Amino acid sequence: MSQLAEFLATNQNKNVEELKELLRIPSISAQSEHKEDVQTAASWIADKLKNIGMEHVEVIQTEGHPIIYADWLHQENAPTVLVYGHYDVQPVDPVHLWETPPFEPTIRDEKIFARGATDDKGQLFLHIKAVESLLKSEGKLPVNVKFCIEGEEEIGSPHLPAYLTDNKEKLSCDVVVISDSDMWDKGVPAITYSLRGLCALEVSLHTANTDLHSGSYGGGVQNANHLLVQLLSSLHDTNGKVNVAHFYDDVVELTEFEKEQMKALGLDEEKVKESLGLTDLTGGEKDYSYAERISSRPTLEINGMWGGFQGEGTKTVIPNEAHAKITCRLVNNQQPKKIQELIKKHLEEFAPKGCTIKVSLQDTGNPFLTPIDSPMIQKAAEAYQNVYGKSPVYKREGGSIPIVSDFNQALNVPVVLMGFGLPGENLHAPNEHFHLENFNKGILTICSFFELIKK
Amino acid sequence: MSQLAEFLATNQNKNVEELKELLRIPSISAQSEHKEDVQTAASWIADKLKNIGMEHVEVIQTEGHPIIYADWLHQENAPTVLVYGHYDVQPVDPVHLWETPPFEPTIRDEKIFARGATDDKGQLFLHIKAVESLLKSEGKLPVNVKFCIEGEEEIGSPHLPAYLTDNKEKLSCDVVVISDSDMWDKGVPAITYSLRGLCALEVSLHTANTDLHSGSYGGGVQNANHLLVQLLSSLHDTNGKVNVAHFYDDVVELTEFEKEQMKALGLDEEKVKESLGLTDLTGGEKDYSYAERISSRPTLEINGMWGGFQGEGTKTVIPNEAHAKITCRLVNNQQPKKIQELIKKHLEEFAPKGCTIKVSLQDTGNPFLTPIDSPMIQKAAEAYQNVYGKSPVYKREGGSIPIVSDFNQALNVPVVLMGFGLPGENLHAPNEHFHLENFNKGILTICSFFELIKK
């Protein structure tokens, strides 16, 4: 890799200057006044891909913001990597809290400050730079590479899933690599190998045909709030387990290795308590550690509930309706739609006498898991080791990024989440930034990964 | 009573014309644009009291609307009756639903239509007419009479309770008579001998110092909604009884006579179900009949509860606070402030681990009961029998009229609620009216009552 190393050393400043160009484009996907800016960012990326030598570059218009495709497929016997990233960014409010303007990239303390610096322009651009560096220093790539880049990640990727299922052939590959996540700590890389899935429901409960006066009817008729409390209290048992039949049937338990990994990470519960102002972390299942519960166990949360009078003072009303919003975080191999049905069935079965209930099924998102011992994960780990001198930690993320499992399911290949961000880089917040060390090491790590997986 | 009967027969039309005058004054206490009208009504009443021969007539200004006092105290050895009523009325919206304008009293089918016709100008005025008729036909009253009339009943009587406690001597009497309630049915008089009291609380429950993301923390930390559900579900047992220690300690059970009375009234549960769109009336305590539960049993109702997200769609939030508003209907001899403390103690004791709770104590109102066999109730029953040819039914009202027990407690005498309204006379609604038959019979009944209680 000496030619490559030389090329990178020579071009470090130029790479950062180019990243600044991209960061200057206010491609906020959520705000219609920035629609043109999002297009500009897409064109900028497409031009860049052409300039570095990628082929079949396309800007695919959608009803929202465009998807960009490009490929380089000249290694017939080598595997194909598909790189996903996004060029859209979050809004910048509250602007007055930014130390330097969000779209005027500024370097301080070896960090580049700008909206999108780490999420995800910086992390996406390092892949483009890895490909450029390899092509320009060695004339070819060790593997085949496809890019699939979207401009709607921050608004929930409304058009990408359909694009994936409609273009399975075109996007076919051996591995999907995404850099849109965090390292564990400064100098300690991380591979996120699991994300939780999601399903959402709403339940509405009705009693009489109108709210009733608690003087005239109190003690005689059912109160929708009382019945909802009764119904909701049936959803968990006293050990914090979800009390819905068959809810846990498909849950894959942690392997011994995973448990060891999780323990080794040494999550500091005292620090968590302090930051949240809590005296204990006793939510969820009693039989599992906090670290397990927030990442590898499924949950059922009442995100909202309401019924009756919420105004100031007193209203002696017996409400005739009450509502609750419920979401679950799900883990492999739970199926969101199956879980929704189980919960619906439970709610209907446990509905107290004297009311009618209506359950509406809402969003779902699949959980995602690439086993730690899968070859692609192991090659990514080796690449980190080569560049950072340290094996990555393997972590499970409690949140959901539905697009990850969409790639997994549409293309039926492992997805490797190689994060180069650092915790505390203020994504979605003022003063977002990205450590330049990880921008540069990220380019090297991706180059190394490509080398390692070639056959 | 022949002189009296003749006087009444002669003056029937004149009495109705005078009632119309009073009904023409739009004395809506809740609307500041009618402040002068309320004063006008007060002056009208005061003038009327002077004209009929009442003495010491006073219009007592308050920070709101005036209280009117008057007396006639020339029967040294006879008891003293204090008559309470109110000359203020409810607003008239929606005006377009009135068949004739609310302040243009109109007679149709022997009913007088106007705002305040039955609540309470008509029912108050019949007392004034009874006194006038006796004074003018017989030159004197059989008993001593005091009037205490307010103009703020429809806005919760903010100034009357203090007036009562500050003027115990002046208002001292042997019985308070109030006509601001209903008969049982056409031709069937009723005495309301019990009202439920009231107490209100609000409970707020807090967990972490902020709402949390259900991906990052779900399964690890407590959800305020879950804890509130747990807490609220502790308030009732599976038999519908309030599960707060000592809640029922002071409850006076119904006497056998009361139970018989209640049964004899034959409340039509099928009709209630139909009107409310319910298939059963299973709220409250399983061991008591519906009729008992809505009138003679105390209740605890969650009038409102809320926590977390109530908007459209899904928000994967773990709420850090949740709230509930609670009111109880109370019966003799429960003490509202004691009950509040018991509930507060329960909420604090049952507060789940992992949260802090705050309980705020709000309004209270005492329950009211004058025993059916008390002499004043029996005399009132006799008066009804004399005029209507029928004994009244004795009923308990599930609602609360705090001012009734305020009289009871401040003056330490029985209060007799002799209603002359009829169910369906649209009080607080468009097309309020009062049956003239009961206006005329009401005058006679009050005259008869005065005669019956003189020693």
Side-chain angles (χ1 to χ4, degrees), chain A residues 219 223 276 283 301 303 313 317 325, chain B residues 209 219 223 283 301 303 313 317 325:
Chain A
N223 177 320
L276 302 182
E301 302 280 354
N303 306 111
V317 66
K325 280 173 184 280
Chain B
N209 50 21
N223 177 320
E301 301 281 354
N303 307 110
V317 66
K325 281 174 184 281

Side-chain angles (χ1 to χ4, degrees), chain A residues 17-314:
Chain A
E17 287 310 308
E18 285 180 27
L19 175 57
K20 281 186 181 175
E21 269 183 46
L22 177 56
L23 291 171
R24 278 190 199 104
I25 308 169
S27 49
I28 303 170
S29 51
Q31 297 175 337
S32 54
E33 65 265 36
H34 287 288
K35 196 167 165 59
E36 292 239 337
D37 298 318
V38 183
Q39 288 282 347
T40 303
S43 304
W44 191 94
I45 298 266
D47 290 345
K48 185 60 61 183
L49 289 168
K50 277 177 213 159
N51 289 341
I52 65 169
M54 290 297 294
E55 299 168 339
H56 308 112
V57 179
E58 281 179 83
V59 175
I60 300 128
Q61 297 298 333
T62 71
E63 280 179 35
H65 305 299
I67 295 162
I68 301 164
Y69 174 83
D71 62 34
W72 187 98
L73 306 171
H74 300 289
Q75 287 286 7
E76 238 174 69
N77 295 316
T80 301
V81 178
L82 186 144
V83 175
Y84 162 80
H86 64 93
Y87 61 87
D88 64 320
V89 299
Q90 280 277 316
V92 295
D93 298 314
V95 173
H96 69 278
L97 294 181
W98 287 79
E99 288 180 33
T100 47
F103 296 111
E104 292 178 21
T106 310
I107 293 169
R108 293 193 293 277
D109 301 333
E110 297 299 306
K111 301 163 203 161
I112 184 160
F113 286 80
R115 171 56 84 229
T118 186
D119 179 18
D120 180 47
K121 285 175 173 171
Q123 294 202 60
L124 164 64
F125 197 53
L126 66 84
H127 285 267
I128 295 173
K129 283 286 139 183
V131 167
E132 181 190 28
S133 306
L134 286 165
L135 282 174
K136 291 203 173 152
S137 64
E138 305 187 352
K140 63 182 186 330
L141 299 178
V143 291
N144 300 300
V145 172
K146 296 176 179 177
F147 278 97
C148 174
I149 304 171
E150 72 163 322
E152 296 186 311
E153 198 271 351
E154 301 294 2
I155 53 172
S157 305
H159 299 103
L160 190 58
Y163 179 77
L164 297 185
T165 47
D166 291 350
N167 293 277
K168 285 183 186 182
E169 196 63 36
K170 180 174 168 181
L171 301 173
S172 72
C173 59
D174 298 285
V175 62
V176 175
V177 176
I178 304 177
S179 296
D180 194 15
S181 53
D182 281 352
M183 297 171 49
W184 182 250
D185 205 348
K186 223 169 146 50
V188 188
I191 294 175
T192 300
Y193 70 98
S194 164
L195 296 164
R196 290 198 282 193
L198 187 79
C199 72
L201 304 90
E202 189 165 330
V203 55
S204 295
L205 184 154
H206 288 85
T207 54
N209 51 20
T210 177
D211 280 351
L212 294 172
H213 190 287
S214 83
S216 311
Y217 294 98
V221 300
Q222 295 290 4
N223 177 320
N225 279 342
H226 297 195
L227 300 184
L228 187 67
V229 162
Q230 211 174 308
L231 181 58
L232 295 178
S233 72
S234 75
L235 288 169
H236 294 88
D237 70 12
T238 52
N239 289 316
K241 282 196 108 61
V242 177
N243 205 25
V244 172
H246 305 294
F247 184 80
Y248 293 99
D249 282 6
D250 299 328
V251 172
V252 179
E253 296 285 332
L254 290 182
T255 63
E256 283 310 308
F257 178 71
E258 286 182 281
K259 283 188 190 168
E260 276 163 33
Q261 274 287 315
M262 201 172 270
K263 227 177 223 169
L265 289 179
L267 182 80
D268 188 341
E269 292 188 24
E270 290 308 315
K271 217 166 137 186
V272 175
K273 281 185 212 171
E274 199 183 327
S275 72
L276 302 182
L278 289 174
T279 51
D280 54 45
L281 300 172
T282 52
E285 300 168 89
K286 282 202 170 59
D287 298 343
Y288 292 83
S289 73
Y290 176 76
E292 282 174 278
R293 270 146 45 214
I294 60 167
S295 63
S296 64
R297 298 297 301 171
T299 67
L300 185 158
E301 302 280 354
I302 304 166
N303 306 111
M305 62 176 189
W306 67 100
F309 180 64
Q310 301 182 24
E312 206 186 316
T314 302

Side-chain angles (χ1 to χ4, degrees), chain A residues 196 198 200 202 207-210 212-226 228-230 232-233 236 272 274-285 290 293-295 297 299-319 322 325 327 329 353-354 362-363 397-400, chain B residues 196 198 200 202 207-210 212-226 228-230 232-233 236 272 274-285 290 293-295 297 299-319 322 325 327 329 353-354 362-363 397-400:
Chain A
R196 290 198 282 193
L198 187 79
E202 189 165 330
T207 54
N209 51 20
T210 177
L212 294 172
H213 190 287
S214 83
S216 311
Y217 294 98
V221 300
Q222 295 290 4
N223 177 320
N225 279 342
H226 297 195
L228 187 67
V229 162
Q230 211 174 308
L232 295 178
S233 72
H236 294 88
V272 175
E274 199 183 327
S275 72
L276 302 182
L278 289 174
T279 51
D280 54 45
L281 300 172
T282 52
E285 300 168 89
Y290 176 76
R293 270 146 45 214
I294 60 167
S295 63
R297 298 297 301 171
T299 67
L300 185 158
E301 302 280 354
I302 304 166
N303 306 111
M305 62 176 189
W306 67 100
F309 180 64
Q310 301 182 24
E312 206 186 316
T314 302
K315 188 175 176 190
T316 50
V317 66
I318 300 178
K325 280 173 184 280
T327 57
R329 294 287 173 174
K353 208 173 164 247
Q362 301 174 332
D363 314 351
E397 194 61 61
S400 309
Chain B
R196 290 197 283 194
L198 188 79
E202 188 165 330
T207 54
N209 50 21
T210 177
L212 294 172
H213 189 287
S214 84
S216 311
Y217 294 98
V221 300
Q222 296 289 4
N223 177 320
N225 278 343
H226 297 195
L228 187 68
V229 163
Q230 211 173 309
L232 295 178
S233 71
H236 294 88
V272 175
E274 198 184 327
S275 73
L276 303 182
L278 289 174
T279 51
D280 54 46
L281 300 172
T282 53
E285 301 169 89
Y290 175 76
R293 272 146 44 213
I294 59 167
S295 64
R297 297 298 301 173
T299 66
L300 185 158
E301 301 281 354
I302 304 166
N303 307 110
M305 64 176 189
W306 67 100
F309 180 65
Q310 300 180 26
E312 205 187 316
T314 301
K315 187 175 176 189
T316 51
V317 66
I318 301 177
K325 281 174 184 281
T327 57
R329 294 287 172 175
K353 206 172 166 247
Q362 302 175 331
D363 314 350
E397 194 59 62
S400 308

Side-chain angles (χ1 to χ4, degrees), chain B residues 226-245:
Chain B
H226 297 195
L227 300 183
L228 187 68
V229 163
Q230 211 173 309
L231 181 57
L232 295 178
S233 71
S234 75
L235 289 168
H236 294 88
D237 71 11
T238 51
N239 289 316
K241 283 194 107 62
V242 177
N243 204 25
V244 172

Side-chain angles (χ1 to χ4, degrees), chain B residues 11-30:
Chain B
N11 287 278
Q12 223 167 13
N13 282 343
K14 185 175 155 276
N15 290 346
V16 173
E17 287 310 308
E18 286 181 26
L19 174 58
K20 281 186 182 176
E21 269 182 45
L22 176 57
L23 290 172
R24 278 190 199 104
I25 308 169
S27 49
I28 303 171
S29 51

